[in-house]
Amino acid sequence: MENLIVISKVKKFIKDQSEFNTSSGFFEPLNNDVVKSCKDAITHAQKLGRKTVMGKDFNLYIEKEVAEALVVTSKVKKLIKEEAGLSTSSQAIDQLTVRVQTICLKAIENAKADKRKTVMDRDFVAPTTLS
């Protein structure tokens, strides 16, 4: 599966937020979550009869513009186009970035709770299950 996240930017985001390192195992569940989120958004857009996946099609919608995307825009657009022939709005990229940021912040909390300075795959929690 193609990586839809920008690993170097995600590592930097985590380091900037917490001074924590990131294990390589963290990126696979994160990428899988982004892919699943895109597919769920496609289904939602299609159900509403739209030809464009928008930010509001994502189940964790937070109205926020991001300064720097943590996902590869061209690969996200390619996935959505190949899966369903739909276009992708810039809001969709922002929502995926907010999702990645949310996952990273929760993972940092989990690593802190375990008294570690490295975010690992076991720290991953999908935002739909966050309290």
Side-chain angles (χ1 to χ4, degrees), residues 2-23:
E2 242 183 328
N3 263 340
L4 299 185
I5 58 172
V6 184
I7 291 173
S8 61
K9 289 184 181 181
V10 172
K11 281 184 178 184
K12 183 180 180 328
F13 177 80
I14 290 171
K15 186 66 107 171
D16 289 349
Q17 295 297 310
S18 64
E19 290 295 316
F20 282 23
N21 293 315
T22 311
S23 76

mmCIF file with all atom_site columns, all heavy atoms in Angstrom, residues 2-23:
data_model
loop_
_atom_site.group_PDB
_atom_site.id
_atom_site.type_symbol
_atom_site.label_atom_id
_atom_site.label_alt_id
_atom_site.label_comp_id
_atom_site.label_asym_id
_atom_site.label_entity_id
_atom_site.label_seq_id
_atom_site.pdbx_PDB_ins_code
_atom_site.Cartn_x
_atom_site.Cartn_y
_atom_site.Cartn_z
_atom_site.occupancy
_atom_site.B_iso_or_equiv
_atom_site.pdbx_formal_charge
_atom_site.auth_seq_id
_atom_site.auth_comp_id
_atom_site.auth_asym_id
_atom_site.auth_atom_id
_atom_site.pdbx_PDB_model_num
ATOM 1   N N   . GLU A 1 2  ? 0.468  2.210  -0.761 1.00 0.00 ? 2  GLU A N   1
ATOM 2   C CA  . GLU A 1 2  ? 1.218  3.464  -0.846 1.00 0.00 ? 2  GLU A CA  1
ATOM 3   C C   . GLU A 1 2  ? 1.069  4.278  0.436  1.00 0.00 ? 2  GLU A C   1
ATOM 4   O O   . GLU A 1 2  ? 0.000  4.288  1.044  1.00 0.00 ? 2  GLU A O   1
ATOM 5   C CB  . GLU A 1 2  ? 0.680  4.297  -2.015 1.00 0.00 ? 2  GLU A CB  1
ATOM 6   C CG  . GLU A 1 2  ? 1.708  4.537  -3.062 1.00 0.00 ? 2  GLU A CG  1
ATOM 7   C CD  . GLU A 1 2  ? 1.190  5.418  -4.179 1.00 0.00 ? 2  GLU A CD  1
ATOM 8   O OE1 . GLU A 1 2  ? -0.004 5.388  -4.506 1.00 0.00 ? 2  GLU A OE1 1
ATOM 9   O OE2 . GLU A 1 2  ? 2.036  6.132  -4.732 1.00 0.00 ? 2  GLU A OE2 1
ATOM 10  N N   . ASN A 1 3  ? 2.147  4.954  0.816  1.00 0.00 ? 3  ASN A N   1
ATOM 11  C CA  . ASN A 1 3  ? 2.089  5.840  1.980  1.00 0.00 ? 3  ASN A CA  1
ATOM 12  C C   . ASN A 1 3  ? 1.386  7.135  1.599  1.00 0.00 ? 3  ASN A C   1
ATOM 13  O O   . ASN A 1 3  ? 1.812  7.827  0.683  1.00 0.00 ? 3  ASN A O   1
ATOM 14  C CB  . ASN A 1 3  ? 3.493  6.174  2.482  1.00 0.00 ? 3  ASN A CB  1
ATOM 15  C CG  . ASN A 1 3  ? 3.921  5.302  3.618  1.00 0.00 ? 3  ASN A CG  1
ATOM 16  O OD1 . ASN A 1 3  ? 3.096  4.693  4.283  1.00 0.00 ? 3  ASN A OD1 1
ATOM 17  N ND2 . ASN A 1 3  ? 5.205  5.236  3.847  1.00 0.00 ? 3  ASN A ND2 1
ATOM 18  N N   . LEU A 1 4  ? 0.339  7.455  2.322  1.00 0.00 ? 4  LEU A N   1
ATOM 19  C CA  . LEU A 1 4  ? -0.377 8.712  2.100  1.00 0.00 ? 4  LEU A CA  1
ATOM 20  C C   . LEU A 1 4  ? 0.080  9.781  3.080  1.00 0.00 ? 4  LEU A C   1
ATOM 21  O O   . LEU A 1 4  ? -0.269 10.944 2.924  1.00 0.00 ? 4  LEU A O   1
ATOM 22  C CB  . LEU A 1 4  ? -1.887 8.503  2.233  1.00 0.00 ? 4  LEU A CB  1
ATOM 23  C CG  . LEU A 1 4  ? -2.545 7.526  1.264  1.00 0.00 ? 4  LEU A CG  1
ATOM 24  C CD1 . LEU A 1 4  ? -4.054 7.537  1.448  1.00 0.00 ? 4  LEU A CD1 1
ATOM 25  C CD2 . LEU A 1 4  ? -2.197 7.838  -0.175 1.00 0.00 ? 4  LEU A CD2 1
ATOM 26  N N   . ILE A 1 5  ? 0.846  9.380  4.086  1.00 0.00 ? 5  ILE A N   1
ATOM 27  C CA  . ILE A 1 5  ? 1.349  10.347 5.055  1.00 0.00 ? 5  ILE A CA  1
ATOM 28  C C   . ILE A 1 5  ? 2.776  10.738 4.697  1.00 0.00 ? 5  ILE A C   1
ATOM 29  O O   . ILE A 1 5  ? 3.496  9.971  4.074  1.00 0.00 ? 5  ILE A O   1
ATOM 30  C CB  . ILE A 1 5  ? 1.292  9.795  6.500  1.00 0.00 ? 5  ILE A CB  1
ATOM 31  C CG1 . ILE A 1 5  ? 2.087  8.496  6.615  1.00 0.00 ? 5  ILE A CG1 1
ATOM 32  C CG2 . ILE A 1 5  ? -0.135 9.619  6.960  1.00 0.00 ? 5  ILE A CG2 1
ATOM 33  C CD1 . ILE A 1 5  ? 2.250  7.995  8.023  1.00 0.00 ? 5  ILE A CD1 1
ATOM 34  N N   . VAL A 1 6  ? 3.161  11.938 5.093  1.00 0.00 ? 6  VAL A N   1
ATOM 35  C CA  . VAL A 1 6  ? 4.540  12.398 4.908  1.00 0.00 ? 6  VAL A CA  1
ATOM 36  C C   . VAL A 1 6  ? 5.266  12.077 6.215  1.00 0.00 ? 6  VAL A C   1
ATOM 37  O O   . VAL A 1 6  ? 5.135  12.801 7.207  1.00 0.00 ? 6  VAL A O   1
ATOM 38  C CB  . VAL A 1 6  ? 4.605  13.904 4.586  1.00 0.00 ? 6  VAL A CB  1
ATOM 39  C CG1 . VAL A 1 6  ? 6.048  14.325 4.315  1.00 0.00 ? 6  VAL A CG1 1
ATOM 40  C CG2 . VAL A 1 6  ? 3.715  14.249 3.395  1.00 0.00 ? 6  VAL A CG2 1
ATOM 41  N N   . ILE A 1 7  ? 5.984  10.968 6.201  1.00 0.00 ? 7  ILE A N   1
ATOM 42  C CA  . ILE A 1 7  ? 6.597  10.460 7.430  1.00 0.00 ? 7  ILE A CA  1
ATOM 43  C C   . ILE A 1 7  ? 7.507  11.490 8.080  1.00 0.00 ? 7  ILE A C   1
ATOM 44  O O   . ILE A 1 7  ? 7.449  11.697 9.297  1.00 0.00 ? 7  ILE A O   1
ATOM 45  C CB  . ILE A 1 7  ? 7.336  9.136  7.146  1.00 0.00 ? 7  ILE A CB  1
ATOM 46  C CG1 . ILE A 1 7  ? 6.311  8.046  6.822  1.00 0.00 ? 7  ILE A CG1 1
ATOM 47  C CG2 . ILE A 1 7  ? 8.205  8.723  8.331  1.00 0.00 ? 7  ILE A CG2 1
ATOM 48  C CD1 . ILE A 1 7  ? 6.903  6.732  6.355  1.00 0.00 ? 7  ILE A CD1 1
ATOM 49  N N   . SER A 1 8  ? 8.325  12.168 7.309  1.00 0.00 ? 8  SER A N   1
ATOM 50  C CA  . SER A 1 8  ? 9.250  13.151 7.888  1.00 0.00 ? 8  SER A CA  1
ATOM 51  C C   . SER A 1 8  ? 8.504  14.290 8.572  1.00 0.00 ? 8  SER A C   1
ATOM 52  O O   . SER A 1 8  ? 8.915  14.766 9.634  1.00 0.00 ? 8  SER A O   1
ATOM 53  C CB  . SER A 1 8  ? 10.199 13.699 6.819  1.00 0.00 ? 8  SER A CB  1
ATOM 54  O OG  . SER A 1 8  ? 9.471  14.347 5.792  1.00 0.00 ? 8  SER A OG  1
ATOM 55  N N   . LYS A 1 9  ? 7.388  14.707 8.001  1.00 0.00 ? 9  LYS A N   1
ATOM 56  C CA  . LYS A 1 9  ? 6.598  15.786 8.616  1.00 0.00 ? 9  LYS A CA  1
ATOM 57  C C   . LYS A 1 9  ? 5.872  15.313 9.864  1.00 0.00 ? 9  LYS A C   1
ATOM 58  O O   . LYS A 1 9  ? 5.727  16.066 10.831 1.00 0.00 ? 9  LYS A O   1
ATOM 59  C CB  . LYS A 1 9  ? 5.618  16.373 7.600  1.00 0.00 ? 9  LYS A CB  1
ATOM 60  C CG  . LYS A 1 9  ? 6.297  17.184 6.516  1.00 0.00 ? 9  LYS A CG  1
ATOM 61  C CD  . LYS A 1 9  ? 5.296  17.815 5.584  1.00 0.00 ? 9  LYS A CD  1
ATOM 62  C CE  . LYS A 1 9  ? 6.008  18.603 4.494  1.00 0.00 ? 9  LYS A CE  1
ATOM 63  N NZ  . LYS A 1 9  ? 5.025  19.249 3.606  1.00 0.00 ? 9  LYS A NZ  1
ATOM 64  N N   . VAL A 1 10 ? 5.420  14.067 9.860  1.00 0.00 ? 10 VAL A N   1
ATOM 65  C CA  . VAL A 1 10 ? 4.759  13.517 11.050 1.00 0.00 ? 10 VAL A CA  1
ATOM 66  C C   . VAL A 1 10 ? 5.778  13.398 12.178 1.00 0.00 ? 10 VAL A C   1
ATOM 67  O O   . VAL A 1 10 ? 5.495  13.769 13.325 1.00 0.00 ? 10 VAL A O   1
ATOM 68  C CB  . VAL A 1 10 ? 4.088  12.164 10.741 1.00 0.00 ? 10 VAL A CB  1
ATOM 69  C CG1 . VAL A 1 10 ? 3.571  11.513 12.014 1.00 0.00 ? 10 VAL A CG1 1
ATOM 70  C CG2 . VAL A 1 10 ? 2.949  12.344 9.740  1.00 0.00 ? 10 VAL A CG2 1
ATOM 71  N N   . LYS A 1 11 ? 6.966  12.901 11.862 1.00 0.00 ? 11 LYS A N   1
ATOM 72  C CA  . LYS A 1 11 ? 8.036  12.818 12.876 1.00 0.00 ? 11 LYS A CA  1
ATOM 73  C C   . LYS A 1 11 ? 8.334  14.197 13.455 1.00 0.00 ? 11 LYS A C   1
ATOM 74  O O   . LYS A 1 11 ? 8.464  14.351 14.666 1.00 0.00 ? 11 LYS A O   1
ATOM 75  C CB  . LYS A 1 11 ? 9.324  12.258 12.269 1.00 0.00 ? 11 LYS A CB  1
ATOM 76  C CG  . LYS A 1 11 ? 9.353  10.782 12.109 1.00 0.00 ? 11 LYS A CG  1
ATOM 77  C CD  . LYS A 1 11 ? 10.714 10.359 11.583 1.00 0.00 ? 11 LYS A CD  1
ATOM 78  C CE  . LYS A 1 11 ? 10.811 8.864  11.459 1.00 0.00 ? 11 LYS A CE  1
ATOM 79  N NZ  . LYS A 1 11 ? 12.148 8.426  11.049 1.00 0.00 ? 11 LYS A NZ  1
ATOM 80  N N   . LYS A 1 12 ? 8.423  15.191 12.577 1.00 0.00 ? 12 LYS A N   1
ATOM 81  C CA  . LYS A 1 12 ? 8.706  16.560 13.020 1.00 0.00 ? 12 LYS A CA  1
ATOM 82  C C   . LYS A 1 12 ? 7.569  17.094 13.887 1.00 0.00 ? 12 LYS A C   1
ATOM 83  O O   . LYS A 1 12 ? 7.806  17.733 14.910 1.00 0.00 ? 12 LYS A O   1
ATOM 84  C CB  . LYS A 1 12 ? 8.942  17.476 11.822 1.00 0.00 ? 12 LYS A CB  1
ATOM 85  C CG  . LYS A 1 12 ? 9.309  18.906 12.204 1.00 0.00 ? 12 LYS A CG  1
ATOM 86  C CD  . LYS A 1 12 ? 9.519  19.763 10.958 1.00 0.00 ? 12 LYS A CD  1
ATOM 87  C CE  . LYS A 1 12 ? 9.879  21.194 11.244 1.00 0.00 ? 12 LYS A CE  1
ATOM 88  N NZ  . LYS A 1 12 ? 9.360  21.841 12.408 1.00 0.00 ? 12 LYS A NZ  1
ATOM 89  N N   . PHE A 1 13 ? 6.320  16.823 13.493 1.00 0.00 ? 13 PHE A N   1
ATOM 90  C CA  . PHE A 1 13 ? 5.177  17.266 14.285 1.00 0.00 ? 13 PHE A CA  1
ATOM 91  C C   . PHE A 1 13 ? 5.254  16.689 15.700 1.00 0.00 ? 13 PHE A C   1
ATOM 92  O O   . PHE A 1 13 ? 5.086  17.411 16.687 1.00 0.00 ? 13 PHE A O   1
ATOM 93  C CB  . PHE A 1 13 ? 3.865  16.856 13.610 1.00 0.00 ? 13 PHE A CB  1
ATOM 94  C CG  . PHE A 1 13 ? 2.636  17.221 14.398 1.00 0.00 ? 13 PHE A CG  1
ATOM 95  C CD1 . PHE A 1 13 ? 2.145  18.514 14.372 1.00 0.00 ? 13 PHE A CD1 1
ATOM 96  C CD2 . PHE A 1 13 ? 1.986  16.277 15.189 1.00 0.00 ? 13 PHE A CD2 1
ATOM 97  C CE1 . PHE A 1 13 ? 1.025  18.870 15.123 1.00 0.00 ? 13 PHE A CE1 1
ATOM 98  C CE2 . PHE A 1 13 ? 0.870  16.612 15.938 1.00 0.00 ? 13 PHE A CE2 1
ATOM 99  C CZ  . PHE A 1 13 ? 0.385  17.913 15.899 1.00 0.00 ? 13 PHE A CZ  1
ATOM 100 N N   . ILE A 1 14 ? 5.520  15.403 15.804 1.00 0.00 ? 14 ILE A N   1
ATOM 101 C CA  . ILE A 1 14 ? 5.614  14.758 17.118 1.00 0.00 ? 14 ILE A CA  1
ATOM 102 C C   . ILE A 1 14 ? 6.781  15.330 17.912 1.00 0.00 ? 14 ILE A C   1
ATOM 103 O O   . ILE A 1 14 ? 6.647  15.631 19.098 1.00 0.00 ? 14 ILE A O   1
ATOM 104 C CB  . ILE A 1 14 ? 5.714  13.223 16.961 1.00 0.00 ? 14 ILE A CB  1
ATOM 105 C CG1 . ILE A 1 14 ? 4.371  12.675 16.469 1.00 0.00 ? 14 ILE A CG1 1
ATOM 106 C CG2 . ILE A 1 14 ? 6.137  12.550 18.271 1.00 0.00 ? 14 ILE A CG2 1
ATOM 107 C CD1 . ILE A 1 14 ? 4.375  11.217 16.070 1.00 0.00 ? 14 ILE A CD1 1
ATOM 108 N N   . LYS A 1 15 ? 7.917  15.513 17.270 1.00 0.00 ? 15 LYS A N   1
ATOM 109 C CA  . LYS A 1 15 ? 9.103  16.061 17.948 1.00 0.00 ? 15 LYS A CA  1
ATOM 110 C C   . LYS A 1 15 ? 8.821  17.490 18.425 1.00 0.00 ? 15 LYS A C   1
ATOM 111 O O   . LYS A 1 15 ? 9.159  17.851 19.549 1.00 0.00 ? 15 LYS A O   1
ATOM 112 C CB  . LYS A 1 15 ? 10.298 16.025 16.992 1.00 0.00 ? 15 LYS A CB  1
ATOM 113 C CG  . LYS A 1 15 ? 11.616 16.430 17.596 1.00 0.00 ? 15 LYS A CG  1
ATOM 114 C CD  . LYS A 1 15 ? 12.078 15.462 18.640 1.00 0.00 ? 15 LYS A CD  1
ATOM 115 C CE  . LYS A 1 15 ? 13.211 14.627 18.152 1.00 0.00 ? 15 LYS A CE  1
ATOM 116 N NZ  . LYS A 1 15 ? 13.802 13.823 19.254 1.00 0.00 ? 15 LYS A NZ  1
ATOM 117 N N   . ASP A 1 16 ? 8.173  18.305 17.576 1.00 0.00 ? 16 ASP A N   1
ATOM 118 C CA  . ASP A 1 16 ? 7.858  19.694 17.948 1.00 0.00 ? 16 ASP A CA  1
ATOM 119 C C   . ASP A 1 16 ? 6.852  19.768 19.098 1.00 0.00 ? 16 ASP A C   1
ATOM 120 O O   . ASP A 1 16 ? 6.905  20.680 19.919 1.00 0.00 ? 16 ASP A O   1
ATOM 121 C CB  . ASP A 1 16 ? 7.303  20.465 16.748 1.00 0.00 ? 16 ASP A CB  1
ATOM 122 C CG  . ASP A 1 16 ? 8.351  20.754 15.686 1.00 0.00 ? 16 ASP A CG  1
ATOM 123 O OD1 . ASP A 1 16 ? 9.562  20.557 15.939 1.00 0.00 ? 16 ASP A OD1 1
ATOM 124 O OD2 . ASP A 1 16 ? 7.946  21.171 14.570 1.00 0.00 ? 16 ASP A OD2 1
ATOM 125 N N   . GLN A 1 17 ? 5.928  18.812 19.150 1.00 0.00 ? 17 GLN A N   1
ATOM 126 C CA  . GLN A 1 17 ? 4.899  18.815 20.187 1.00 0.00 ? 17 GLN A CA  1
ATOM 127 C C   . GLN A 1 17 ? 5.410  18.302 21.521 1.00 0.00 ? 17 GLN A C   1
ATOM 128 O O   . GLN A 1 17 ? 4.904  18.701 22.564 1.00 0.00 ? 17 GLN A O   1
ATOM 129 C CB  . GLN A 1 17 ? 3.709  17.960 19.751 1.00 0.00 ? 17 GLN A CB  1
ATOM 130 C CG  . GLN A 1 17 ? 2.969  18.490 18.553 1.00 0.00 ? 17 GLN A CG  1
ATOM 131 C CD  . GLN A 1 17 ? 2.336  19.838 18.797 1.00 0.00 ? 17 GLN A CD  1
ATOM 132 O OE1 . GLN A 1 17 ? 1.642  20.047 19.779 1.00 0.00 ? 17 GLN A OE1 1
ATOM 133 N NE2 . GLN A 1 17 ? 2.564  20.775 17.903 1.00 0.00 ? 17 GLN A NE2 1
ATOM 134 N N   . SER A 1 18 ? 6.422  17.400 21.477 1.00 0.00 ? 18 SER A N   1
ATOM 135 C CA  . SER A 1 18 ? 6.749  16.691 22.712 1.00 0.00 ? 18 SER A CA  1
ATOM 136 C C   . SER A 1 18 ? 8.224  16.377 22.937 1.00 0.00 ? 18 SER A C   1
ATOM 137 O O   . SER A 1 18 ? 8.566  15.863 23.986 1.00 0.00 ? 18 SER A O   1
ATOM 138 C CB  . SER A 1 18 ? 6.006  15.359 22.718 1.00 0.00 ? 18 SER A CB  1
ATOM 139 O OG  . SER A 1 18 ? 6.474  14.550 21.643 1.00 0.00 ? 18 SER A OG  1
ATOM 140 N N   . GLU A 1 19 ? 9.047  16.621 21.933 1.00 0.00 ? 19 GLU A N   1
ATOM 141 C CA  . GLU A 1 19 ? 10.448 16.197 21.994 1.00 0.00 ? 19 GLU A CA  1
ATOM 142 C C   . GLU A 1 19 ? 10.586 14.672 21.987 1.00 0.00 ? 19 GLU A C   1
ATOM 143 O O   . GLU A 1 19 ? 11.621 14.143 22.324 1.00 0.00 ? 19 GLU A O   1
ATOM 144 C CB  . GLU A 1 19 ? 11.182 16.791 23.213 1.00 0.00 ? 19 GLU A CB  1
ATOM 145 C CG  . GLU A 1 19 ? 11.425 18.277 23.105 1.00 0.00 ? 19 GLU A CG  1
ATOM 146 C CD  . GLU A 1 19 ? 12.374 18.643 21.966 1.00 0.00 ? 19 GLU A CD  1
ATOM 147 O OE1 . GLU A 1 19 ? 13.413 17.972 21.789 1.00 0.00 ? 19 GLU A OE1 1
ATOM 148 O OE2 . GLU A 1 19 ? 12.067 19.612 21.249 1.00 0.00 ? 19 GLU A OE2 1
ATOM 149 N N   . PHE A 1 20 ? 9.530  13.958 21.603 1.00 0.00 ? 20 PHE A N   1
ATOM 150 C CA  . PHE A 1 20 ? 9.555  12.504 21.551 1.00 0.00 ? 20 PHE A CA  1
ATOM 151 C C   . PHE A 1 20 ? 10.051 12.032 20.200 1.00 0.00 ? 20 PHE A C   1
ATOM 152 O O   . PHE A 1 20 ? 9.893  12.712 19.191 1.00 0.00 ? 20 PHE A O   1
ATOM 153 C CB  . PHE A 1 20 ? 8.160  11.916 21.782 1.00 0.00 ? 20 PHE A CB  1
ATOM 154 C CG  . PHE A 1 20 ? 7.715  11.896 23.214 1.00 0.00 ? 20 PHE A CG  1
ATOM 155 C CD1 . PHE A 1 20 ? 8.242  12.750 24.160 1.00 0.00 ? 20 PHE A CD1 1
ATOM 156 C CD2 . PHE A 1 20 ? 6.739  11.010 23.621 1.00 0.00 ? 20 PHE A CD2 1
ATOM 157 C CE1 . PHE A 1 20 ? 7.819  12.729 25.478 1.00 0.00 ? 20 PHE A CE1 1
ATOM 158 C CE2 . PHE A 1 20 ? 6.299  10.971 24.931 1.00 0.00 ? 20 PHE A CE2 1
ATOM 159 C CZ  . PHE A 1 20 ? 6.847  11.829 25.862 1.00 0.00 ? 20 PHE A CZ  1
ATOM 160 N N   . ASN A 1 21 ? 10.624 10.844 20.185 1.00 0.00 ? 21 ASN A N   1
ATOM 161 C CA  . ASN A 1 21 ? 10.981 10.168 18.943 1.00 0.00 ? 21 ASN A CA  1
ATOM 162 C C   . ASN A 1 21 ? 9.778  9.351  18.492 1.00 0.00 ? 21 ASN A C   1
ATOM 163 O O   . ASN A 1 21 ? 8.812  9.170  19.235 1.00 0.00 ? 21 ASN A O   1
ATOM 164 C CB  . ASN A 1 21 ? 12.191 9.254  19.160 1.00 0.00 ? 21 ASN A CB  1
ATOM 165 C CG  . ASN A 1 21 ? 13.432 10.060 19.470 1.00 0.00 ? 21 ASN A CG  1
ATOM 166 O OD1 . ASN A 1 21 ? 13.721 11.053 18.824 1.00 0.00 ? 21 ASN A OD1 1
ATOM 167 N ND2 . ASN A 1 21 ? 14.169 9.636  20.482 1.00 0.00 ? 21 ASN A ND2 1
ATOM 168 N N   . THR A 1 22 ? 9.864  8.809  17.282 1.00 0.00 ? 22 THR A N   1
ATOM 169 C CA  . THR A 1 22 ? 8.785  8.010  16.737 1.00 0.00 ? 22 THR A CA  1
ATOM 170 C C   . THR A 1 22 ? 9.359  6.724  16.173 1.00 0.00 ? 22 THR A C   1
ATOM 171 O O   . THR A 1 22 ? 10.269 6.772  15.351 1.00 0.00 ? 22 THR A O   1
ATOM 172 C CB  . THR A 1 22 ? 8.049  8.777  15.611 1.00 0.00 ? 22 THR A CB  1
ATOM 173 O OG1 . THR A 1 22 ? 7.740  10.087 16.074 1.00 0.00 ? 22 THR A OG1 1
ATOM 174 C CG2 . THR A 1 22 ? 6.778  8.074  15.208 1.00 0.00 ? 22 THR A CG2 1
ATOM 175 N N   . SER A 1 23 ? 8.825  5.592  16.611 1.00 0.00 ? 23 SER A N   1
ATOM 176 C CA  . SER A 1 23 ? 9.285  4.317  16.064 1.00 0.00 ? 23 SER A CA  1
ATOM 177 C C   . SER A 1 23 ? 8.692  4.129  14.668 1.00 0.00 ? 23 SER A C   1
ATOM 178 O O   . SER A 1 23 ? 7.613  4.649  14.368 1.00 0.00 ? 23 SER A O   1
ATOM 179 C CB  . SER A 1 23 ? 8.890  3.146  16.963 1.00 0.00 ? 23 SER A CB  1
ATOM 180 O OG  . SER A 1 23 ? 7.525  2.854  16.818 1.00 0.00 ? 23 SER A OG  1
#
